[in-house]
Every structure is written in structure tokens, then in C-alpha cells.
Amino acid sequence: MMGIAQTVLVEIVRGHGQLAVLATLSDKPRGDVVKAVQRLKRRGLVAAVEPGLYAATEAGRAFVQAGHAVASGQGVKPRRRTRGLRQRAWWVLRVRGVVTIPDLLMTLADGAERDAHANLSKYLHALCRAGFVAEIGRSAGAAPTSNGHKRYKLVRNNGRQAPVVRQRQRTVFDPNSGDCFDLGGGRAP
Amino acid sequence: MKHVFVKTENHRRFLASVAMLENRGSVERCLLPVKGKPGVGKTRVVDNWGSAVDAVFIEGIPGMSLRYLKDALKAETGVKERTGFAEFQALTEFFRNDGHPRPIILDECQHGFPNKAEVIEYLRRLAEKAGTILVLVCHTSESYLLDKYDHIKTRIGCVCELLPPSLDDATLFMREQCEVDIDAALIAEVHKQSGARYRLIADALANLERIAAKLGKPSLALADVHGLPLCQDWERALKAAPAKRAAAHAGHGARHGEAK
């Protein structure tokens, strides 16, 4: 069974571009046909010729000829604005130059994350082994028996995108340069 | 201490200001000055938001010029164009980000005002063209500079003033961060001793945890720490110093006069 957008697209490709005709052919209310046409327009499959008259674009014709069906989730996904904790930690690291894990947690972790401390600790440890950050001593901790908190200094700042730790390959991928660094510190082959 | 970001009233105030600018009618009113006294949490609030929206962060430094700003922007954005027009176009495209504009943050924005505020003006044009927000962070004492130039002050969409924590805010902060339970009277005492500054409240919390560990108590009341200084307000001590010196000097003068 075809959805209304698919029916409308097929009819427009056949040359029935008027809204009233489309409503009759698809046996749907005119309002639903308008919404379907707008959806197709946003996806670049049809274009308005004049008010109330639509024609298929090249992409629309190719879409139908290829036998594709209009469904949700096929369009280009917009860039996500909310970032993962590691990407956000990389942002703060680039801004401040030197960070500790408590610093990062007090800036980024609002309690919604699952074990943010372990996540950041593993991430910074991997960055350190791959040569993106260096440990530069410790800052004092609040508890009387605390060993303090490790301070991490950014030493390889290749760009905005956070390095990706690939546990299975034992490498850190830098999306800014496209290079892979192994967790021993050298550049991976 | 529990290390967690606390969503204080200042955080809500900042997000409300951003929302106001995002829903503004005129694109040119793209400036969002964020001002506040030291220790009210400007850096933390702005970094929390900036990292979430992938803002471009520029730090103002003394002697900052337009050349410096352009170099900093190109380093941040990866734009390689060298000629003025192509450079500006490429930067605008970067900030437009395919319909999801990236905000710009200029920290210590008071350094952007020399030479007819050319740095602020360049960023303002960029933000306007890209349809994004320019957040200007500065101390309250420097915010008068924003009022100096008509072409800047008329482009302000909203002013966000981050305030010292109220008692409610301090209560939220302490309850979320402290490992030991603290009663309301003790919270009020910390709020008073800290002069309502987050940095000093954090110092006091660390001291309270040490005291609780020493006493072997899971919770503390005001009576447990009565009379103890919980944090050291050096700013207040510095302000008090000239008065004390003057009093001491007057006392010395009087004694000297008596001796005569």
C-alpha cells in the first residue's frame, strides 16, 4: 500500500500536477494532498510551476523510475547540535588549554550522563597515550587523603572535531587531519 | 565534593537570554553581552552552553587587533582564504553552517574596543551575515564600553547580567556538590562568609567536608562549626587593609602626640 506522498509523486510524474486533480486521483482531502506536495517539495522531488500546479523534478522522476518509495527518515539529516560528552570535553580542553577531570565534570556533567567520570577518565587517558594531551602533575584534592587530580595539557590541537578513540583498533582517529594515532603514541600505519 | 554542573538561576538567566536572541525579529540585533562580577560563574555557564552548541570561542587579549582576530578565527575555523573578501565570505559560510548557525563567543571582550572597536565590529558583521549570535563576555566594571559606540549598542538584542547567588541558589549549589548533609543555618552562614561568590562557596564546602571527616559525622549543623572561618575572602581583606592601616596610623599619631 502506497502512502499519500508516494501516490501524489507518481501522479505528478505522470503529468497530473494540479492540486484538485491530485486530490481526486488519490481520493484524499485536498489539505492532505497539499501537505504531501510540500513534503515532496522540501525533498526536491517536485517543484511549483505556478500556484496550485506542480511538476516533477529530475530527481523526482529518477526517484520513481528507480522504484523508491517515499518514507520518513530518507532525507538529509540535519547536523545535530547537542554533542556527546567527549566532544564537549574536547571543546573545553581547547578553550582552557589545561584541565582536570573535576573541572570538566563541573562544567559539563549535569548528572544525566552515565558515569561521566569514568568516560572522561578513559578518554583523557587514551588522548594522553596517543600524544594529544600530556599529564603535567596534579592539583590538590579536597579530601584530606586525596592524591589530587591529574592535570592534562593540550599538546596537539588539530582542530574543532574531537579525536575518536577506536578501542578495537587500539588507535585514536583525528577527524581534523584524517590521521590515526596508535595508543602507543606514534602515528598508526 | 561531588563534581557536577549545577543549573543555577544564572544558567537559566543565560539560556533565557539566548532564547530571546534566537527568536529575535531583526537579524542585526545579534549581540548578547554577558556581564557579571568575578566569581559569579560566567566562565562555567558560557563554557557549558558553548560546548553544547559548538560555538567558536575567541579569547580577547590586551592589544588585540583586527589582524589578530582574523588569524584566531582562521585557526579556529580552518578557513584558508587569504584575501579580505574571500576570507570574509568563507568565514560567513562557516558560521552559517548549512542553516544551523554556529554562535561566536568573545571572552574578555573589553580588549576588542581599541581602534573604534574594530574587532567587535568585524565580529558583529560576521554574526549578522551568518544569522548567528555574538556573545560578548566581560566583567561588570568593563560593560560601560558597550555603551560607547552607537553602532554597537543599537545592535544589542539582550543584556544578560549574571548575579551573585541568592540564598536559594547557594542552597542548591551546596546540596548538589557537598558530600555531607548541611543544615539550612550552616548554608546561610557559608553564604554570608563567602560574600555570595561560588568560588568561595566551593572553598567552604571543601573545608566542611574535612571538618565532617574529622568529627566522623555524615552531616553538619551550624553548631559544629560555630565561630570557624570557612573560607577566606581576600578581596574583603584587601579592602579592609587601608582602613586598618589608617586606624593604626591614627593610633600611632595619637600616642606620639601624648608622648610630646
Side-chain angles (χ1 to χ4, degrees):
Chain A
M1 191 184 140
M2 283 196 285
I4 181 166
Q6 179 70 14
T7 311
V8 167
L9 177 61
V10 169
E11 292 302 332
I12 292 175
V13 169
R14 284 179 187 159
H16 305 128
Q18 283 184 327
L19 282 177
V21 175
L22 287 169
T24 311
L25 290 172
S26 62
D27 195 20
K28 297 283 181 192
R30 194 183 163 107
D32 290 358
V33 172
V34 169
K35 280 184 193 164
V37 169
Q38 291 304 322
R39 206 172 303 136
L40 295 170
K41 232 176 101 179
R42 275 199 298 275
R43 291 184 56 172
L45 300 175
V46 302
V49 179
E50 60 184 65
L53 180 64
Y54 296 88
T57 59
E58 277 302 313
R61 272 189 284 276
F63 192 86
V64 173
Q65 276 167 12
H68 294 313
V70 180
S72 59
Q74 293 174 329
V76 178
K77 286 182 184 165
R79 187 187 169 87
R80 287 160 63 91
R81 295 189 75 187
T82 311
R83 321 289 293 218
L85 188 63
R86 291 181 175 193
Q87 174 69 50
R88 295 182 68 188
W90 178 250
W91 191 95
V92 175
L93 182 60
R94 289 183 74 234
V95 166
R96 297 190 186 168
V98 177
V99 294
T100 63
I101 290 176
D103 265 353
L104 292 175
L105 292 173
M106 287 169 78
T107 305
L108 304 174
D110 59 5
E113 304 83 7
R114 198 175 62 180
D115 203 353
H117 188 285
N119 186 359
L120 290 178
S121 177
K122 283 177 191 166
Y123 186 56
L124 286 172
H125 184 62
L127 291 187
C128 193
R129 290 184 66 184
F132 284 86
V133 297
E135 284 181 23
I136 51 161
R138 287 171 178 268
S139 63
T145 54
S146 170
N147 288 327
H149 307 289
K150 281 182 186 171
R151 297 172 73 222
Y152 295 93
K153 184 184 176 193
L154 182 65
V155 290
R156 187 190 293 139
N157 181 3
N158 280 356
R160 304 178 61 73
Q161 296 181 69
V164 181
V165 179
R166 293 175 172 167
Q167 285 293 351
R168 203 167 288 170
Q169 289 93 350
R170 309 282 301 150
T171 57
V172 175
F173 172 66
D174 179 13
N176 304 292
S177 63
D179 291 334
C180 272
F181 298 85
D182 70 20
L183 286 174
R187 195 167 291 206
Chain B
M1 267 174 73
K2 293 178 219 161
H3 299 118
V4 63
F5 177 75
V6 183
K7 292 179 177 172
T8 58
E9 193 53 45
N10 276 343
H11 178 246
R12 278 191 286 278
R13 205 170 280 136
F14 178 74
L15 291 187
S17 305
V18 170
M20 190 184 274
L21 250 80
E22 282 176 344
N23 295 306
R24 67 192 184 275
S26 56
V27 184
E28 58 270 26
R29 289 167 76 86
C30 57
L31 302 186
L32 172 58
V34 177
K35 59 179 188 172
K37 290 182 176 170
V40 296
K42 290 189 296 294
T43 304
R44 222 171 274 288
V45 166
V46 170
D47 283 0
N48 178 278
W49 173 78
S51 65
V53 298
D54 195 22
V56 170
F57 186 95
I58 305 287
E59 191 171 15
I61 59 158
M64 192 179 195
S65 65
L66 190 56
R67 190 64 259 161
Y68 174 93
L69 172 75
K70 286 180 178 177
D71 287 349
L73 280 173
K74 283 164 80 173
E76 275 296 308
T77 58
V79 164
K80 303 277 185 240
E81 278 73 3
R82 301 185 72 154
T83 58
F85 179 71
E87 185 182 79
F88 187 77
Q89 288 295 102
L91 285 170
T92 307
E93 278 309 310
F94 174 86
F95 284 106
R96 247 182 224 148
N97 192 24
D98 288 336
H100 297 278
R102 285 194 180 93
I104 310 169
I105 299 170
L106 178 63
D107 195 17
E108 306 287 353
C109 76
Q110 69 273 15
H111 299 307
F113 283 93
N115 207 6
K116 294 184 183 169
E118 59 176 8
V119 166
I120 308 270
E121 187 60 12
Y122 186 85
L123 286 174
R124 198 266 302 165
R125 285 295 294 162
L126 203 52
E128 205 176 298
K129 285 270 177 195
T132 190
I133 299 172
L134 172 58
V135 179
L136 301 168
V137 186
C138 66
H139 291 175
T140 305
S141 60
E142 310 278 6
S143 60
Y144 72 94
L145 288 164
L146 290 160
D147 193 36
K148 219 169 155 183
Y149 301 98
D150 279 347
H151 56 278
I152 289 176
K153 72 178 175 191
T154 54
R155 259 80 175 202
I156 292 174
C158 176
V159 177
C160 177
E161 183 166 14
L162 301 187
L163 302 171
S166 62
L167 187 56
D168 286 345
D169 254 352
T171 305
L172 177 73
F173 186 81
M174 285 188 243
R175 293 255 154 90
E176 287 204 19
Q177 296 238 316
C178 196
E179 299 276 3
V180 294
D181 287 335
I182 312 173
D183 79 341
L186 183 49
I187 288 175
E189 177 64 18
V190 171
H191 185 249
K192 189 179 136 198
Q193 284 195 26
S194 68
R197 264 165 296 167
Y198 285 113
R199 284 175 200 162
L200 294 185
I201 293 175
D203 283 355
L205 291 187
N207 286 331
L208 287 173
E209 284 177 5
R210 284 189 199 107
I211 292 167
K214 191 97 175 163
L215 298 175
K217 286 185 167 183
S219 61
L220 286 176
L222 181 60
D224 294 320
V225 296
H226 200 63
L228 284 176
L230 298 169
C231 53
Q232 190 64 55
D233 186 353
W234 294 111
E235 194 189 338
R236 204 180 287 173
L238 283 171
K239 277 180 190 161
K244 276 187 187 169
R245 217 170 23 242
H249 190 72
H252 177 74
R255 278 197 303 279
H256 195 66
E258 279 167 21
K260 274 185 181 175

